[in-house]
Amino acid sequence: MAIEPDTKDWTWVLQRRCEQCGAEVAGETPATVAARVREAIPRWEAVLRRRDVAERPDEGTWSPLEYAAHVRDVFGVFRGRLVLMLAEDGPTFADWDQDVAAVAGRYRDQDPAVVAGELAGAGAAVADAFEAVPESAWERPGLRSNGSVFTVRTLSQYFVHDVLHHLHDVRG
């Protein structure tokens, strides 16, 4: 059985607390998001050391390993979007299909120790990138291909929810 693609529009997390994971990100800034990511990295590393890391709770749900590989890639995607927003006026982000990435990247078959190192490196890089954003650039806009408008601030909020929500998914 294949994993059912997530087609939900999660932008509502910018306005209210996530009932599933408890994260409330509306007050976050690029600076605070950097700290939250740094705090999350050791939790992800601990998840990746679990004996059952590659086991799916059911065939329709990613394993902790697959979630961690996804988060590693999310770190890179959002760092790229941030860089684009700081370099261009009102850029449109390239599409990224997380479900296609999971299959193409063979998340299920990756080595947890390798994923842990890559996740830590990508997490540090995206945290550094958000931390380096001057407050005067927090309202620079960018556009997702589906029309959702983000600022650097709201991009950081949306991004950190993803990282924290998936920690909740894997009980990290």
Side-chain angles (χ1 to χ4, degrees):
M1 173 188 236
I3 302 289
E4 185 175 323
D6 182 0
T7 58
K8 294 182 217 88
D9 180 357
W10 287 89
T11 55
W12 57 266
V13 300
L14 301 175
Q15 279 82 43
R16 65 182 190 273
R17 179 181 175 271
C18 179
E19 296 297 324
Q20 291 178 17
C21 71
E24 192 164 358
V25 297
E28 300 286 349
T29 68
T32 62
V33 162
R36 301 284 301 265
V37 169
R38 287 190 184 100
E39 292 165 2
I41 291 170
R43 294 171 63 192
W44 277 109
E45 291 171 322
V47 165
L48 286 160
R49 287 190 298 271
R50 291 184 193 161
R51 290 177 48 143
D52 66 345
V53 69
E55 293 176 23
R56 288 182 170 175
D58 57 69
E59 274 306 305
T61 305
W62 279 349
S63 68
L65 172 60
E66 290 168 291
Y67 275 113
H70 166 70
V71 168
R72 173 207 55 210
D73 289 354
V74 163
F75 286 158
V77 167
F78 277 81
R79 182 171 177 255
R81 289 179 176 179
L82 174 62
V83 167
L84 190 63
M85 291 174 78
L86 296 173
E88 297 180 17
D89 290 329
T92 298
F93 310 138
D95 286 332
W96 182 62
D97 186 320
Q98 66 185 16
D99 300 299
V100 169
V103 172
R106 301 178 56 99
Y107 288 180
R108 193 173 194 180
D109 300 323
Q110 293 192 19
D111 180 329
V114 171
V115 173
E118 293 170 345
L119 184 144
V126 74
D128 290 348
F130 275 114
E131 190 171 61
V133 176
E135 192 170 343
S136 62
W138 288 1
E139 301 310 315
R140 289 184 61 83
L143 185 68
R144 207 164 59 180
S145 62
N146 71 354
S148 296
V149 177
F150 286 92
T151 63
V152 168
R153 179 196 310 264
T154 60
L155 183 81
S156 73
Q157 295 165 349
Y158 183 83
F159 158 73
V160 79
H161 170 263
D162 199 52
V163 174
L164 299 175
H165 191 96
H166 290 320
L167 268 172
H168 169 77
D169 287 333
V170 299
R171 294 181 254 338

